[in-house]
Amino acid sequence: MTASAMKSDLAIGKFKELLKSHASPPPTPRTGLVELLIESFMMADATDEQGSNAFDKLMRGSVDVNDLRAMLVKEQVGLIGVRYPLAWDRCVLMRRTLMDIYKREHKVSLERLRNLSKKEAKTYIEGLAGITPFVAARTLLLGLSIHAVPVDQATVDVLSEAEVLVDASEPVEGAALLSRHVLAEDALDAHAALRKATDRFLASGRVPRLGKKRK
């Protein structure tokens, strides 16, 4: 799909209204890149509160990130709770990613990526086994200040219902589309606003109104 074709699929005015109506301070990222990646797995298609609580449970229930990697999927699910949204699926993917990191680095760490070029770091993160576009984008944006717009299915649902996305879209397509309209210097603010909108959507089931700042 060409850039011009993609442009017609996004209602720019409504998108700007959505961001303005849900302006929020950017999140404070986890210090470690692996911890940020794990948190991002928990945040996808879940509220910020759910994601933060799930991350805390995983960390309290394991000695360190390597211990978490070595756990069976059912043990990870047991920590966050079987009723957590998509609990089994997200833990399967997270464990696969942690295993791939260990295979590549001989330890569960991504800190050497801070010394790579942005292109190399982006290729590395996006190429990890099991990683999803949302997790990769959130890790790149918050952890390495690399231009990305994290989009999960909940984000797509909000954008579609708010008529920001003209046509139905998959998360990877939505992320590619938004990245063409969100400047690198605005990506953090855009992410914060989109998370606030999807957070409220997931918590209430109501589509955010545009043009009005909700308290």
Side-chain angles (χ1 to χ4, degrees):
M1 182 178 293
T2 65
S4 59
M6 295 185 74
K7 185 175 182 180
S8 65
D9 292 337
L10 185 71
I12 303 298
K14 290 182 178 181
F15 180 53
K16 290 181 178 179
E17 287 181 15
L18 181 70
L19 297 184
K20 183 178 180 180
S21 299
H22 295 81
S24 183
T28 301
R30 302 286 174 180
T31 302
L33 291 177
V34 170
E35 286 79 5
L36 175 60
L37 179 142
I38 292 169
E39 180 188 61
S40 297
F41 266 109
M42 296 300 108
M43 289 286 183
D45 294 309
T47 67
D48 283 353
E49 182 178 7
Q50 287 176 318
S52 181
N53 288 341
F55 173 81
D56 289 341
K57 289 177 181 178
L58 290 173
M59 293 300 100
R60 288 198 302 268
S62 55
V63 176
D64 52 27
V65 292
N66 186 58
D67 183 46
L68 181 63
R69 170 196 67 86
M71 285 184 182
L72 298 176
V73 171
K74 65 178 181 180
E75 294 174 320
Q76 296 173 349
V77 172
L79 290 177
I80 65 176
V82 294
R83 293 186 178 181
Y84 194 81
L86 303 170
W88 185 269
D89 291 344
R90 74 176 70 233
C91 285
V92 167
L93 293 175
M94 179 183 70
R95 187 173 187 271
R96 190 179 302 166
T97 301
L98 294 178
M99 285 292 190
D100 194 25
I101 293 172
Y102 182 79
K103 181 179 179 180
R104 296 185 188 203
E105 305 297 323
H106 306 294
K107 58 183 178 180
V108 186
S109 174
L110 292 172
E111 294 309 305
R112 79 174 181 87
L113 269 61
R114 299 186 188 277
N115 298 320
L116 299 182
S117 69
K118 290 187 176 182
K119 182 178 180 180
E120 290 173 321
K122 186 173 186 292
T123 298
Y124 185 107
I125 290 292
E126 293 180 342
L128 286 169
I131 202 162
T132 67
F134 175 88
V135 175
R138 191 171 185 271
T139 303
L140 290 169
L141 177 64
L142 300 185
L144 296 169
S145 299
I146 294 175
H147 185 214
V149 181
V151 174
D152 54 12
Q153 187 58 51
T155 307
V156 170
D157 292 343
V158 167
L159 294 176
S160 296
E161 293 296 327
E163 299 181 344
V164 172
L165 287 178
V166 178
D167 299 313
S169 175
E170 295 294 324
V172 65
E173 296 169 348
L177 179 60
L178 295 185
S179 68
R180 287 168 167 76
H181 296 281
V182 176
L183 298 176
E185 58 265 32
D186 298 328
L188 276 175
D189 290 335
H191 172 58
L194 289 172
R195 281 300 298 182
K196 186 174 182 180
T198 56
D199 200 63
R200 287 177 170 176
F201 174 70
L202 289 170
S204 67
R206 294 194 299 271
V207 178
R209 293 182 179 180
L210 302 185
K212 295 182 179 180
K213 189 171 183 179
R214 298 175 60 185
K215 297 181 179 180

